[in-house]
Amino acid sequence: MSYFASSSSNHGTNRVLERTLNEILAVIKPSEEDVRARTRIIDDLKAVVNQSAAEYSSLQGVMKSHLLHFVAAIDRRFRDMVLLVKVQEWAKSEDINNARDGTLNSYALCWLVIYHFQTCKPPILPPLKELHTGGTVAGSLIYSVYGDDLINQMNANVERFKRERLINTSSLSELFVSFFQKFSAVEFTNYNYFCTYTETWEETSDTYLAFLDDVPLLHIRDPFARNENVARSVEDTTKIFKAFQKTYAMLLSASGRDRFSLISNFVRPEIGAQMITRG
């Protein structure tokens, strides 16, 4: 069972937050026609994957690109996918989006957002095992078909999910608040990990983790190579955990309904200056 099986947003739409989030998007990502914006969101997801391309075989890279394309294609309310863009800007403003400094890389952030979409009620995205055609060997995805057959089968899986799912009617601000609600409540331990392949918060029996009891690490399983931790750059979760808690507390306070407070908490100073200038 998912650790977040009962997790859902109990927060109504915060209109100031909703407007501010759209302002942030306008500054960090120029507004376009819906179809062009949707295409760019897909491109953003692919770009995140490509940042780690050197770590994987070319075949895996191609399959990742295809699977993320289908993930993005499921969400007709494409603006929900820009939550990823907003979360990345927030992480930069909190100085927790720099793998070289021991914090989260963009690829890991991508999977946290996708995990959030999977565990919303009702879910916006399915477990990735429902889209993927094939099995796993030594934790890595394998495919029973190739080329056009693979694409056709994945298309069929997407269409089945879209046909059978309940529509999530949460506003962008509700999704944003529930994202921070969810991850501010997580207790990170060396024996637990997020898995977007199965859409669960699972316990692991990996024996090497027994030697790391004094170091709180964040484990996010790569759904394409499930023995890999995409958050392995994280040296200590304390800073990340405090950032989530601080932000969620702010969203529940009066500051969460003040435009200037929201700007100062969710974007870097140079971006905030542009927003204030725009008025």
Side-chain angles (χ1 to χ4, degrees):
M1 174 182 287
S2 169
Y3 179 84
F4 296 115
S6 62
S7 178
S8 61
S9 173
N10 296 316
H11 308 286
T13 298
N14 179 335
R15 299 192 185 282
V16 176
L17 175 60
E18 191 88 19
R19 287 196 300 271
T20 305
L21 291 176
N22 285 314
E23 284 186 69
I24 293 171
L25 178 62
V27 172
I28 65 176
K29 191 178 182 67
S31 62
E32 304 173 3
E33 293 296 326
D34 285 358
V35 66
R36 292 184 63 196
R38 183 172 179 274
T39 300
R40 289 189 63 184
I41 295 300
I42 294 171
D43 289 342
D44 284 345
L45 289 172
K46 289 180 179 178
V48 170
V49 173
N50 290 336
Q51 290 176 5
S52 301
E55 301 176 16
Y56 303 93
S57 69
S58 58
L59 176 60
Q60 278 190 316
V62 170
M63 295 311 176
K64 284 183 180 185
S65 180
H66 281 312
L67 193 52
L68 284 179
H69 172 83
F70 289 118
V71 166
I74 286 174
D75 190 358
R76 289 181 181 176
R77 297 182 312 154
F78 70 91
R79 293 184 69 84
D80 290 347
M81 296 305 289
V82 305
L83 187 67
L84 172 61
V85 180
K86 294 183 173 72
V87 166
Q88 285 182 308
E89 176 59 33
W90 164 80
K92 290 174 183 176
S93 74
E94 292 287 343
D95 194 28
I96 58 170
N97 184 206
N98 191 332
R100 287 178 294 184
D101 290 341
T103 57
L104 291 165
N105 58 50
S106 295
Y107 190 52
L109 281 169
C110 174
W111 291 116
L112 284 182
V113 173
I114 288 176
Y115 187 84
H116 178 50
F117 287 157
Q118 291 175 327
T119 53
C120 290
K121 297 297 177 184
I124 295 172
L125 293 175
L128 296 187
K129 66 180 181 180
E130 294 184 10
L131 303 184
H132 159 249
T133 300
T136 61
V137 171
S140 295
L141 297 190
I142 59 171
Y143 293 82
S144 56
V145 293
Y146 294 92
D148 291 341
D149 287 341
L150 171 64
I151 302 304
N152 290 337
Q153 288 194 23
M154 293 177 78
N155 266 323
N157 292 339
V158 168
E159 291 305 315
R160 184 182 68 253
F161 174 75
K162 288 164 66 175
R163 231 180 9 254
E164 297 174 356
R165 69 173 175 170
L166 297 175
I167 301 299
N168 187 305
T169 59
S170 300
S171 66
L172 181 58
S173 65
E174 288 174 314
L175 287 172
F176 196 69
V177 174
S178 62
F179 175 82
F180 289 100
Q181 176 190 31
K182 184 171 295 179
F183 293 108
S184 66
V186 171
E187 293 184 11
F188 300 123
T189 76
N190 293 327
Y191 298 98
N192 295 315
Y193 58 86
F194 294 101
C195 182
T196 55
Y197 182 75
T198 57
E199 181 253 296
T200 52
W201 171 249
E202 301 178 349
E203 291 189 0
T204 180
S205 58
D206 290 349
T207 55
Y208 82 94
L209 295 177
F211 298 101
L212 302 175
D213 284 339
D214 295 330
V215 184
L217 300 178
L218 175 60
H219 293 271
I220 305 172
R221 289 294 170 94
D222 188 331
F224 305 97
R226 294 168 61 205
N227 290 333
E228 296 289 332
N229 176 19
V230 302
R232 59 186 173 275
S233 63
V234 176
E235 296 176 353
D236 194 317
T237 60
T238 302
K239 184 177 182 180
I240 297 169
F241 183 57
K242 286 183 177 179
F244 274 104
Q245 285 195 315
K246 182 196 78 171
T247 300
Y248 181 54
M250 184 277 297
L251 287 168
L252 296 184
S253 71
S255 296
R257 284 175 164 71
D258 176 78
R259 176 177 176 269
F260 293 102
S261 294
L262 290 169
I263 290 173
S264 65
N265 276 275
F266 287 117
V267 298
R268 290 162 290 170
E270 60 271 27
I271 301 295
Q274 291 181 53
M275 293 180 64
I276 294 171
T277 300
R278 288 163 64 111

